[in-house]
Amino acid sequence: MIDFQIQNKKIDQMSEVLTENLGDGVFIIKINRPKLLNSLTTNTLRELAKAFNDLSDKKETRAVILTGEGRAFSAGIDLTSAIKVFQGEFKPTKETDPVLAMNDATYPIIGAINGYAITGGFEIALACDILIGGESAAFQDTHAKFGLMPSWGLSQKLPRLIGANRARHSALTATKIDSKTAYEWGLISRVVPDSELLNTCKQIAKEIVANHPVLVKNYKNVINTGIEMNFKDAMQHEQDKAWSYYGGMVKSDFDKMAQFIASRGQKSKL
């Protein structure tokens, strides 16, 4: 199953999901079925959910990078397992469903999109908080092509990210969105050469880890929860969360903030 010893060169190549500890609270999760373009079986889904849940149980987890091994992020549900996933043994719970596990994670998840993210792979990508694409990155929704219904949020998340017209075009034509277009549409926040993808994501994780750990978790929560609300309720939600947060602070917390701001002012004068 999940191997947390990769940093010590102990790698189980039979695992369909690999977890690597980079230190400082940063982890990489890799979908590890490269010969099959990281397509997802019921076992892969369980291992992926377990990887995210295990990291949620680790207090030191500050940021996670999700990517695929080889030349694809994920080609989606392995069609040889489709009946098991959609009608059979797979029951979506936080313990078995990676999207539910990702939605429940308090740490930021950075999607490093290498190559294709197709249908179910596209939906898993959309469960990330930040998406960075390599130049070879491409997204494709093939639900309409194969007679499948989305159930991980693609029909609702994509219109909110890129607009309803573009989302309908993507869904109803089942055509791909290349990395350049994905960036222009706001689906991904950056496009980098494939060779620089992981290093770029590691740098972003490093920047996240440098910030206040509790505030990062709270900020992720208020953004993700607010997206699901109307604007008025979202504004009230932000205010409620803010006053609750400030109510838990003590004088020493405010003193530290003042010291930090003063130190930044001193640096700017140098």
Side-chain angles (χ1 to χ4, degrees), residues 36-102:
L36 296 170
L37 300 180
N38 297 318
S39 58
L40 306 166
T41 65
T42 53
N43 186 62
T44 315
L45 295 174
R46 288 191 182 93
E47 287 198 26
L48 197 53
K50 185 178 187 305
F52 283 109
N53 289 329
D54 285 349
L55 291 180
S56 291
D57 291 339
K58 296 171 76 69
K59 291 183 179 179
E60 66 265 37
T61 305
R62 299 282 304 280
V64 172
I65 299 166
L66 174 64
T67 194
E69 183 66 44
R71 59 191 181 92
F73 178 77
S74 173
I77 299 298
D78 187 326
L79 294 182
T80 63
S81 300
I83 193 167
K84 291 182 179 179
V85 173
F86 299 125
Q87 290 187 336
E89 63 186 54
F90 182 75
K91 303 297 181 185
T93 67
K94 182 188 162 187
E95 285 67 40
T96 61
D97 188 320
V99 172
L100 292 180
M102 293 167 75

Side-chain angles (χ1 to χ4, degrees), residues 252-267:
S252 61
D253 294 319
F254 289 100
D255 290 342
K256 289 177 183 177
M257 286 181 6
Q259 291 167 8
F260 176 77
I261 293 168
S263 69
R264 298 298 293 178
Q266 289 293 327
K267 288 180 181 178

Side-chain angles (χ1 to χ4, degrees), residues 185-207:
W185 287 0
L187 177 56
I188 58 179
S189 57
R190 198 177 301 176
V191 180
V192 299
D194 291 335
S195 61
E196 297 177 15
L197 178 60
L198 274 183
N199 283 337
T200 299
C201 292
K202 290 175 185 178
Q203 179 59 35
I204 292 170
K206 182 178 179 181
E207 291 165 356

